Amino acid sequence: MSLFDHMRLRPAALFGLLLVLSGAGIYFLAGLPSSIFPSVTFPIVKVIADAGEEPAARMMPTVTRPIEEAIRRVPGVLSVRSITSRGSSEMSAEFQWGTDMQVALERVQGETQRIKPDLPPDTHIEVQWMNTSIFPILGYALTSDRVSQAELWDLAEYTLKPALLGVDGVSQIQVQGGRRREFEIRLDPAALQGRGLSAADVVDAVQSNNDVLSAGLTEQNHELYLALATGRVHDLNALSQISVPVRDGPPATLADLGEISVENEVSYIRTTANGQPAVLVNVIRQPSANTVAIAHGVQELFRDQPNLLPAGVEWTPFYDQARFVTNSVTGTENGVLIGVLLAACVLYVFLRRWRTTLVAALTIPITVAIAGLALGAFGQTINLMTLAGLAAALGLIADDAIVVVEDIERRRAEGDADPARTSLRELMPALIGSSLSTVIIFLPFALLPGITGAFFKPLALTMAMALGISFFVGVVAAPIAIVALERIGYGRRHRAEGGVAGPRDDRAAAAIRDRSAQEGAWKRFRGRLEASYMWFTGLFVDHGAIAVIGLAALLIGGWQLYGRIGTDFLPGMDEGSI
């Protein structure tokens, strides 16, 4: 007894399995991380060095070249490119595709830290790898008519940033714009000259006093305590009392040497929102985080803690990638529903049986749901490439089921005793060949090297899994469902035929006559359609020159149009922001 016979004897077990797999797929689809692009780590490590206001001519020999030489000592580096400007140097180290970028990142960090003592003082080095998750997914603007830009920056940096970092999936919060507050000392040249001091002496005094130092350990009450000496400055009064040593004289305080005030840091960047100055807060996700879940988490944060924003401060979103992802997912869901409805309409028009139409149409949502389970098992996410794979596969998913159920109906009309078995025996080699050839077509896309392969692998994998699942549903589940539904319909007809004739039987007979008349009209229409098709096909078969000329015209026209098509790595997308 074949596998098909075993399943036909126990259809409830097969349908239960499909139901469980579909439910699990829907559950996994709802919990999969979602983003615009698939999670791709590029073989690039970026190093950014900040040396304050150091001139570009000095940055090149003292910062850029030493760091370049250190990066080149890392195994596997193919090339290093750098951009040097005033106070800043940005370098990109490129590796081979397939390199373990976590190891490469650690090695670059180690080499840059090793040479840091040889760089100018106060040089800050930041090392990061490049992947699709380093770009912000959410952007908000802090604006106010009552609160200053310095206070808005303090609010974003010391209140909102720690709170947002507590949202699941958030890896980094970037604060842009605003003004930082700082202490400003305007030295009196006469006071410095009279005490024999220079500006450098004042700077050294401030740096040495504004610090926290360890005074050692002390034992008390059978416990060991760490003693700290702090001179950290918190206000103007403490800063003004810092003493500056004077040679051959009593020390002078900062108040004796100049004027001290609280000012805003000089900034050459202006950020605005809705035509007024603003502080921008950008949210960056972790590589495996869910963009939509993070957006919901941020909304819940401000809903549960309304005191985060003081009175008079507005929190306005200016970029929301989650909305774009949600719209894409919703569009795919609508596409599945529309595809099911259109397929059902077309099938019913040609098959004229609601049972077979229902079976063929249901293969689409069942396949999509089980494909969601496969996506979760293979560690994929919901992104444009996987959604595109599902959308492109919709037209192919129902093909196997349509071919099988149509052939079963045709053989039943011809009087075959077991149309399901006969159809599968005849169609199985062709179905296997067509499904495998379609899947193999997408195999090279998954094996493409470089960034192209990284982006197309999820698309190819999604389509291959969807087509494989649809093959199983079409050649196993669909015939068994047809047989089960036919048994139910046969039982009802048998019970109706065994009763006594009455008004209900008369209405049934009238319905049968109406249906026979409709089927007769449909057969005539289909006969004319088939005759037109045979005439059109025979024209090209009997006159091969016409077929060759038409094909050549299509090839030439296609080649001409191909040359006018623009090229780009990704299609243009409207995310609702610039």
Side-chain angles (χ1 to χ4, degrees):
M1 185 178 291
S2 64
L3 178 62
F4 176 77
D5 294 327
H6 282 287
M7 291 185 177
R8 186 163 62 173
L9 293 176
R10 300 171 181 85
L14 175 63
F15 299 151
L17 176 62
L18 291 178
L19 183 62
V20 171
L21 292 178
S22 300
I26 294 174
Y27 175 79
F28 268 91
L29 278 176
L32 284 180
S34 56
S35 58
I36 289 185
F37 301 114
S39 182
V40 178
T41 298
F42 305 104
I44 297 175
V45 174
K46 187 175 289 293
V47 180
I48 302 175
D50 187 357
E53 301 298 329
E54 193 80 8
R58 290 279 301 164
M59 286 288 296
M60 181 64 72
T62 60
V63 178
T64 303
R65 287 179 181 172
I67 296 180
E68 283 184 348
E69 294 173 359
I71 295 175
R72 290 186 182 277
R73 288 193 289 268
V74 176
V77 173
L78 298 180
S79 63
V80 179
R81 297 181 179 181
S82 62
I83 300 175
T84 304
S85 59
R86 182 180 181 86
S88 176
S89 180
E90 181 177 322
M91 285 144 284
S92 298
E94 184 178 356
F95 295 81
Q96 283 278 7
W97 278 93
T99 302
D100 189 339
M101 294 310 299
Q102 180 65 43
V103 175
L105 178 70
E106 294 174 354
R107 289 175 175 175
V108 172
Q109 289 175 333
E111 290 295 336
T112 54
Q113 290 298 318
R114 187 178 64 82
I115 65 165
K116 190 173 182 179
D118 301 331
L119 302 178
D122 299 328
T123 300
H124 176 71
I125 300 177
E126 181 181 357
V127 182
Q128 60 184 8
W129 59 15
M130 300 295 294
N131 55 35
T132 54
S133 64
I134 66 173
F135 304 104
I137 61 170
L138 299 171
Y140 300 92
L142 278 174
T143 56
S144 177
D145 295 329
R146 309 178 193 174
V147 181
S148 66
Q149 289 294 295
E151 291 173 322
L152 286 179
W153 187 88
D154 290 342
L155 173 65
E157 185 69 22
Y158 301 119
T159 302
L160 298 181
K161 184 176 181 179
L164 291 171
L165 286 173
V167 177
D168 290 339
V170 175
S171 67
Q172 185 180 355
I173 301 296
Q174 294 178 343
V175 179
Q176 298 176 336
R179 305 290 293 275
R180 299 186 184 185
R181 288 184 291 187
E182 62 182 8
F183 293 115
E184 186 175 290
I185 305 173
R186 295 183 179 88
L187 296 175
D188 184 359
L192 291 176
Q193 186 176 4
R195 292 172 174 82
L197 298 174
S198 65
D201 296 329
V202 178
V203 172
D204 292 339
V206 173
Q207 290 179 343
S208 60
N209 285 277
N210 187 31
D211 202 355
V212 178
L213 301 176
S214 173
L217 301 175
T218 179
E219 184 178 358
Q220 187 176 0
N221 299 327
H222 305 288
E223 293 183 353
L224 197 62
Y225 295 91
L226 173 63
L228 298 176
T230 176
R232 298 288 293 179
V233 174
H234 299 286
D235 52 30
L236 282 175
N237 183 48
L239 182 62
S240 63
Q241 297 303 316
I242 291 180
S243 61
V244 180
V246 178
R247 183 179 300 178
D248 300 330
T253 63
L254 288 184
D256 299 331
L257 302 177
E259 298 180 358
I260 306 173
S261 61
V262 179
E263 303 291 343
N264 291 330
E265 182 185 32
V266 177
S267 177
Y268 302 99
I269 299 175
R270 295 290 183 268
T271 56
T272 61
N274 297 325
Q276 63 183 80
V279 175
L280 306 183
V281 180
N282 295 319
V283 180
I284 299 176
R285 69 179 180 90
Q286 295 176 355
S288 60
N290 190 323
T291 300
V292 178
I294 293 176
H296 292 165
V298 173
Q299 294 174 0
E300 292 178 359
L301 173 67
F302 285 93
R303 185 171 57 249
D304 298 338
Q305 303 182 35
N307 295 330
L308 285 176
L309 295 177
V313 176
E314 295 184 4
W315 174 262
T316 307
F318 66 87
Y319 177 67
D320 189 355
Q321 194 179 99
R323 183 172 56 185
F324 184 80
V325 175
T326 303
N327 292 339
S328 300
V329 174
T330 303
T332 303
E333 294 174 352
N334 294 337
V336 172
L337 294 176
I338 295 174
V340 171
L341 293 177
L342 292 178
C345 293
V346 173
L347 288 173
Y348 186 77
V349 167
F350 282 91
L351 299 180
R352 310 294 293 177
R353 287 179 176 270
W354 69 266
R355 293 186 180 89
T356 54
T357 299
L358 179 64
V359 170
L362 285 179
T363 59
I364 298 178
I366 291 175
T367 301
V368 172
I370 300 177
L373 178 62
L375 288 176
F378 280 89
Q380 296 298 314
T381 63
I382 299 298
N383 53 73
L384 288 184
M385 305 310 291
T386 52
L387 290 178
L390 288 176
L394 287 179
L396 303 174
I397 286 176
D399 280 357
D400 294 334
I402 291 174
V403 171
V404 171
V405 299
E406 192 279 333
D407 193 71
I408 291 176
E409 288 298 326
R410 180 176 61 84
R411 292 187 179 279
R412 177 179 287 112
E414 294 174 354
D416 195 314
D418 193 352
R421 176 185 293 277
T422 305
S423 297
L424 286 181
R425 185 185 301 114
E426 179 180 331
L427 295 177
M428 185 63 73
L431 292 175
I432 294 176
S434 63
S435 298
L436 284 180
S437 62
T438 307
V439 171
I440 290 175
I441 288 175
F442 295 101
L443 183 62
F445 290 96
L447 301 179
L448 287 174
I451 186 173
T452 306
F455 271 81
F456 276 93
K457 182 178 179 180
L459 184 145
L461 182 62
T462 302
M463 293 197 68
M465 291 188 299
L467 294 176
I469 295 169
S470 70
F471 172 79
F472 172 80
V473 174
V475 303
V476 177
I480 293 176
I482 290 292
V483 172
L485 291 176
E486 190 62 28
R487 286 177 181 174
I488 296 174
Y490 175 78
R492 291 177 179 176
R493 291 192 301 268
H494 181 71
R495 288 192 297 270
E497 292 172 358
V500 180
R504 182 176 300 178
D505 299 310
D506 295 337
R507 290 195 298 268
I512 293 174
R513 287 194 297 271
D514 293 340
R515 182 177 178 181
S516 299
Q518 293 175 2
E519 290 181 352
W522 166 249
K523 288 180 180 180
R524 289 192 296 272
F525 170 74
R526 188 169 61 181
R528 290 194 295 268
L529 186 64
E530 291 177 354
S532 301
Y533 171 75
M534 294 301 296
W535 175 84
F536 188 75
T537 305
L539 177 66
F540 288 99
V541 172
D542 298 335
H543 305 82
I546 298 178
V548 173
I549 293 173
L551 182 60
L554 291 175
L555 290 176
I556 294 174
W559 179 257
Q560 293 294 326
L561 294 176
Y562 174 76
R564 299 181 181 181
I565 298 177
T567 58
D568 203 348
F569 181 69
L570 290 171
M573 295 181 295
D574 184 4
E575 300 182 52
S577 63
I578 299 177

